[in-house]
Amino acid sequence: MQALLTPNQTDTFNRDGVLVIPGFFDLKHDIYPILIGIYRVIGQVMERHGVPDTRPPFSPDEFDAGYQTLIRLNRAYGAEVYDAVKQVPAFVRLVAHPRLEKLFAELRPGAVPGIAAGGSGIRIDNPNEEKFRAPWHQEYPAQLRSVDGIVFWSPLLPISPDLGPVAFCLGSQKEGVIPVFTHDPKSPQKQGAYALTLQNETELISKYKRIAPCTSPGDLVLVDWLVLHASGQNVAERSRWAMQLRYFNFADPIGMQHGWKGSYAAGVDFRDVHPELCADPELEDQQ
Ligand SMILES: O=C(O)CCC(=O)C(=O)O
Ligand SMILES: [Fe+2]
C-alpha cells in the first residue's frame, strides 16, 4: 500500500511535532456531510427552544447560520449545540477514518493505535470569549491515555488571523512532559483541563519559533501530544469551528502503567495519576 506521507513530511513532523497536510480530506465525501449534520442540529436546537428558523437553505460556507442568533439569545443554547454536534454520524465516521489510523501507523511504527474515548470533538470558539480558550498546553495532561499520541485538527471554515488560529511552538515536544499547576488563581472561571497551566510558561514558550497556520476545510494539522500549543483569540464576528480527533498508543509504557486512564473528561483528576507532574504549591508541601 502506498504511504500517505512523503519522507519529507515525516521528517517535518518528527522535527517540529506539527505537520500541516493541505487537502487531506475529501470535502464532498468526508466534510460536507458533517457540515450538513451541524446545520440540521442547529435547526433542532432552534426548534426545541421555539426560535423561528429563518435560515437560508444549507450551504457549506454558511453551515453555522443561526448559531450567532442562538448564543445571543442564550449562551446555554450554544453549549447544547456543542454537545450535540459530536454525535453527528458523519463526524463519528471521520473520527475512525481508516486514513487517520494509517497516518498514525506511519508516524509511530510499532504503535498499537487507540482512539481516546471522550477525546474527539468540535470546538466552537466564539468571538471574544475567554472561558474555553485553551492556554499554552501539551495534550498529554489534558487527555492522559498515553504520552505518545497525535491530535488530528481540522477546521470547518477557512481560518483567517482574526478567527484566532491555534499557535504551535515548533520542536517543543522535545521538552518531554512539563509539570503543570492544576489551578490558575488568575482565571478562577477556568475548570478542569482548561485550568492547567505550565510551570515556567513564559520562559518555555519564548524558546521556540511559533507558527499559527491559517488552514481551510479539508486540511489536516497533526499535533504531537507533547507539543506546546494554544488557542488564538477570536476577534472576528463568527465562531471558529474546528474538529479535534485524538489518537493514542496502547504500547506506550506510561499508558501501560496507569492503564490508559483518561483525564478530566473521563472524571479523573490529573493529580491522582501524576502527582510528580503537579507544580501546585500545596502539593509540594506534602511531598
Ligand atoms: O482549536 C483550539 O483552539 C485548540 C486546539 C487544541 O488544543 C487541540 O486540538 O488539542
Ligand atoms: Fe490541545
Side-chain angles (χ1 to χ4, degrees):
M1 225 196 308
Q2 221 200 321
L4 290 172
L5 294 170
T6 63
N8 202 5
Q9 285 176 311
T10 305
D11 290 349
T12 302
F13 182 75
N14 289 337
R15 184 192 63 216
D16 294 343
V18 185
L19 176 71
V20 180
I21 310 180
F24 179 81
F25 291 117
D26 181 310
L27 283 179
K28 284 219 170 77
H29 186 264
D30 299 325
I31 304 296
Y32 290 174
I34 299 173
L35 302 182
I36 294 169
I38 294 174
Y39 178 87
R40 296 178 73 190
V41 163
I42 291 174
Q44 291 308 114
V45 173
M46 291 178 125
E47 187 176 333
R48 197 174 107 70
H49 295 291
V51 179
D53 186 351
T54 55
R55 299 174 300 166
F58 170 78
S59 80
D61 295 340
E62 298 295 332
F63 70 94
D64 61 337
Y67 180 76
Q68 297 306 318
T69 308
L70 273 178
I71 58 171
R72 267 195 292 269
L73 282 171
N74 188 339
R75 178 61 184 80
Y77 298 167
E80 249 176 51
V81 172
Y82 172 80
D83 287 337
V85 292
K86 291 179 198 174
Q87 301 169 82
V88 164
F91 172 68
V92 179
R93 280 197 291 276
L94 193 85
V95 172
H97 199 301
R99 273 158 51 93
L100 295 177
E101 191 176 354
K102 186 160 161 25
L103 270 185
F104 196 85
E106 280 182 29
L107 288 168
R108 300 290 198 243
V112 180
I115 295 175
S120 302
I122 302 178
R123 282 184 67 101
I124 312 170
D125 285 88
N126 299 320
N128 304 309
E129 205 176 79
E130 258 315 288
K131 186 172 174 192
F132 301 109
R133 207 159 69 83
W136 287 103
H137 68 285
Q138 297 178 308
E139 218 50 32
Y140 178 63
Q143 295 293 330
L144 291 177
R145 306 291 174 195
S146 72
V147 175
D148 182 17
I150 299 175
V151 185
F152 297 112
W153 189 100
S154 185
L156 292 174
L157 42 69
I159 303 293
S160 49
D162 58 341
L163 280 168
V166 184
F168 303 94
C169 284
L170 297 183
S172 53
Q173 76 280 10
K174 300 194 178 96
E175 295 282 338
V177 188
I178 298 160
V180 287
F181 299 105
T182 60
H183 292 99
D184 182 0
K186 285 191 291 256
S187 312
Q189 83 279 17
K190 295 206 171 188
Q191 296 290 322
Y194 294 106
L196 297 177
T197 46
L198 298 161
Q199 194 176 31
N200 302 328
E201 175 186 280
T202 316
E203 192 190 319
L204 273 170
I205 60 170
S206 67
K207 282 165 60 178
Y208 296 97
K209 185 181 164 208
R210 262 180 246 172
I211 59 162
C214 285
T215 48
S216 292
D219 297 350
L220 181 65
V221 186
L222 282 66
V223 188
D224 184 300
W225 275 22
L226 292 184
V227 130
L228 293 167
H229 59 290
S231 309
Q233 255 165 315
N234 183 353
V235 293
E237 305 281 307
R238 190 177 179 186
S239 300
R240 168 165 74 80
W241 294 71
M243 303 182 286
Q244 296 78 39
L245 324 174
R246 296 186 170 93
Y247 279 52
F248 70 99
N249 179 3
F250 281 108
D252 171 77
I254 295 180
M256 295 273 285
Q257 246 171 47
H258 62 63
W260 314 292
K261 278 198 181 64
S263 195
Y264 292 94
V268 174
D269 191 331
F270 178 72
R271 289 174 296 189
D272 295 339
V273 183
H274 280 299
E276 80 287 6
L277 290 173
C278 291
D280 299 319
E282 68 268 23
L283 285 179
E284 258 168 33
D285 293 341
Q286 288 165 20
Q287 279 165 5

